[in-house]
Amino acid sequence: MKSFNPLERTIAKTLDRFPQIKQVAKSTYQRLNYWYYGDRNFSLALHPRVKISTPWQWCNVEETKGELFFGYYDKSPWSSDMSKFICHRLQSDRQVEIIIYDRYKQTVEVVATSKTWSSQQGTMVQWLSNCDDKQIIFNDLVEGKLAARIISLATKTEDMIPFPIQTLHPNGKEALTLNYKRLARLRPEYGYEVDASNFSDDLPLTEDGIWHVDLETGKGKLIISLQDLIAYQSRPEMTAAEHKVNHIMYSPQGSKFVFMHRWLSERGKLSRLYVSDSDGSNLQLLLDEGMISHYSWYDEAYLLAWARTKAAGDRYYLIDVTNGKWQITGKEVLDIYGDGHPSFSPNRRWIVTDTYPDRSRQQHLLLCDCQTQKTLELGRFFAPLKYSAGQRCDLHPRWSSDGNIISIDATYEGKRYSYFIDIAAIVND
């Protein structure tokens, strides 16, 4: 199916200056395109060597009713031994259940509920890597505070950290976080619209930004403020703009982290990409040409990112975070549909990424072989129009620890649901 052309993408960039107008125009244009290009009988198409299943089929239990999803692409829903799978079930507009599927025991269990979740990132639920898959951590509202809950699956005991988490250090003992209240005001599909006594959506810029959180003591410290970022090689359009940070991500070994600084001004939505040492020191600006979107670490030195440069436009770039130098990756192979959510397989040979719905409301799941630079389409998934804008359901592909399965969230059956894409026949050939 046809993707959107360069002219259409240029118009979309121009409308960044007028977010409300852009949203109305985008929604109307999507509907017109689907009316003209859409196949009313299409729901799913898979590569012939790919298999699809659901968590309940994988676990051999009764079908799980309702809407089921995991969330973001930068973490894995599986335990390290691949025996368990964790996800959310939508209980209401205000609450989700945290569900664990156990493949060996062939059970499914609701282990908790949470009032702090977003359609894009869920509750940030994940496995604590230093606890042999015996503990999970996720965000919630506890005694009126935005917090993280740590639940022991073996003893059913619980600890509370008085800060939510955004990214978890590989050692499982520390995390980084941001202000989900500010995020809710500026980007509702990522933030938490709840009343919380420890965060507000208008904290002073000197008191808002990125916090380091010690998960053993529960103590948090602001290590990079929004005011620090505004002062760092400041630009005129930052004055009187709205500022936020998002998409904080530790490197594989935790020596560094990257994040996006985004501001909304009269010139529209503008973004920068930064890297820092894990304690917030040695802050460096990697990209500053207006747009940075999604990214994924290759190793401690290299980062793959969808971004814009004046020299090459909107592309996937492999960036050396030690010196800021970059090279284009997957030109006219991986980037044919534009922006996506990329990540590397555990053995670093493969890149999986997704696309936003094309003219016919089809999302594409792509797999690129880093050795041959060839890309194949794993599947196409229909995205109903009701899953648009803030309610959209990106595929957000996530790797299993053995590299044989991709977890996605999709809506091709008319509801938000989690699926397993088995690609073992391809990656082990």
Side-chain angles (χ1 to χ4, degrees):
M1 293 295 175
K2 294 182 179 179
S3 60
F4 294 100
N5 62 43
L7 176 60
E8 290 166 314
R9 292 176 183 174
T10 298
I11 293 172
K13 294 174 194 174
T14 303
L15 287 175
D16 276 345
R17 297 180 59 186
F18 312 99
Q20 294 180 332
I21 295 175
K22 179 180 179 179
Q23 191 56 59
V24 173
K26 183 177 180 180
S27 177
T28 303
Y29 197 60
Q30 285 176 339
R31 292 177 182 277
L32 288 172
N33 272 278
Y34 179 61
W35 174 81
Y36 187 80
Y37 292 101
D39 180 352
R40 303 304 186 272
N41 297 315
F42 177 83
S43 62
L44 170 70
L46 293 176
H47 188 281
R49 302 181 71 189
V50 162
K51 299 177 182 178
I52 189 169
S53 62
T54 62
W56 59 267
Q57 289 170 330
W58 175 79
C59 195
N60 195 26
V61 296
E62 290 186 7
E63 179 180 356
T64 306
K65 304 296 185 180
E67 295 207 314
L68 207 66
F69 70 104
F70 176 73
Y72 221 40
Y73 73 100
D74 62 338
K75 52 186 66 68
S76 178
W78 283 280
S79 58
S80 59
D81 65 357
M82 290 292 293
S83 68
K84 301 179 186 69
F85 179 87
I86 196 165
C87 61
H88 308 89
R89 179 165 61 183
L90 188 59
Q91 197 174 31
S92 69
D93 290 341
R94 296 185 178 182
Q95 187 163 279
V96 292
E97 296 173 325
I98 309 295
I99 296 179
I100 293 181
Y101 293 84
D102 190 314
R103 193 178 193 186
Y104 294 158
K105 295 180 181 179
Q106 294 186 342
T107 59
V108 56
E109 180 184 7
V110 178
V111 294
T113 61
S114 174
K115 298 181 181 68
T116 60
W117 62 280
S118 67
S119 60
Q120 289 295 296
Q121 298 181 331
T123 64
M124 290 294 182
V125 66
Q126 55 199 290
W127 301 90
L128 274 175
S129 57
N130 62 330
C131 298
D132 298 323
D133 302 327
K134 295 179 180 178
Q135 292 185 342
I136 60 169
I137 186 170
F138 60 96
N139 294 335
D140 198 359
L141 188 69
V142 181
E143 297 177 352
K145 294 182 178 180
L146 285 177
R149 294 168 61 190
I150 299 175
I151 293 180
S152 170
L153 302 180
T155 64
K156 307 300 182 183
T157 56
E158 180 175 330
D159 291 317
M160 190 275 281
I161 308 298
F163 289 87
I165 61 166
Q166 164 90 171
T167 183
L168 191 64
H169 194 282
N171 65 18
K173 297 179 180 179
E174 53 192 299
L176 298 170
T177 197
L178 47 70
N179 183 355
Y180 285 97
K181 290 287 292 177
R182 182 183 292 271
L183 210 54
R185 179 167 61 84
L186 300 179
R187 196 76 189 275
E189 61 265 40
Y190 289 92
Y192 303 150
E193 294 183 351
V194 295
D195 292 329
S197 60
N198 55 340
F199 286 91
S200 71
D201 63 10
D202 59 352
L203 279 175
L205 297 175
T206 55
E207 300 175 18
D208 203 342
I210 298 174
W211 285 263
H212 174 270
V213 181
D214 187 321
L215 298 181
E216 296 184 321
T217 66
K219 294 182 179 180
K221 178 183 178 182
L222 186 68
I223 57 174
I224 298 174
S225 74
L226 288 173
Q227 188 59 52
D228 293 335
L229 299 177
I230 295 169
Y232 192 106
Q233 298 181 25
S234 188
R235 299 169 62 114
E237 65 269 15
M238 289 181 177
T239 303
E242 292 274 17
H243 296 265
K244 63 180 178 178
V245 292
N246 204 359
H247 304 330
I248 311 170
M249 193 181 296
Y250 274 116
S251 59
Q253 295 180 24
S255 66
K256 301 178 177 66
F257 66 88
V258 289
F259 64 94
M260 174 199 305
H261 169 210
R262 180 167 284 172
W263 62 99
L264 310 174
S265 70
E266 292 182 353
R267 283 192 55 195
K269 180 175 65 178
L270 298 167
S271 307
R272 280 176 164 179
L273 178 66
Y274 289 86
V275 65
S276 167
D277 288 348
S278 60
D279 61 358
S281 64
N282 195 25
L283 183 67
Q284 297 180 56
L285 182 57
L286 293 176
L287 287 175
D288 185 22
E289 300 198 37
M291 190 276 287
I292 176 72
S293 186
H294 305 103
Y295 35 83
S296 178
W297 286 96
Y298 176 79
D299 57 19
E300 295 301 294
Y302 288 93
L303 184 81
L304 178 68
W306 177 264
R308 180 177 303 154
T309 66
K310 293 178 181 178
D314 295 2
R315 301 284 183 187
Y316 280 112
Y317 294 94
L318 190 64
I319 306 166
D320 185 337
V321 301
T322 65
N323 56 29
K325 294 182 179 179
W326 52 259
Q327 63 187 63
I328 297 172
T329 295
K331 184 177 181 180
E332 297 179 357
V333 177
L334 190 61
D335 60 7
I336 54 176
Y337 295 103
D339 189 9
H341 304 88
S343 60
F344 289 93
S345 62
N347 65 6
R348 297 304 191 258
R349 175 176 173 178
W350 307 90
I351 298 170
V352 68
T353 193
D354 60 346
T355 74
Y356 293 109
D358 63 16
R359 294 179 187 274
S360 58
R361 298 294 300 172
Q362 294 182 24
Q363 298 165 285
H364 302 251
L365 184 64
L366 307 175
L367 184 70
C368 179
D369 187 335
C370 296
Q371 293 182 2
T372 65
Q373 287 294 297
K374 292 182 178 179
T375 296
L376 59 85
E377 187 173 77
L378 298 175
R380 288 180 284 118
F381 305 83
F382 176 60
L385 281 165
K386 71 176 182 177
Y387 293 101
S388 301
Q391 294 303 311
R392 74 181 189 275
C393 180
D394 300 332
L395 299 180
H396 286 158
R398 303 162 287 261
W399 289 94
S400 62
S401 59
D402 61 8
N404 290 328
I405 306 176
I406 302 294
S407 161
I408 65 168
D409 299 328
T411 55
Y412 71 90
E413 292 187 290
K415 62 180 179 180
R416 191 186 304 266
Y417 215 77
S418 278
Y419 300 92
F420 296 170
I421 310 297
D422 188 329
I423 60 171
I426 296 174
V427 297
N428 296 320
D429 191 358

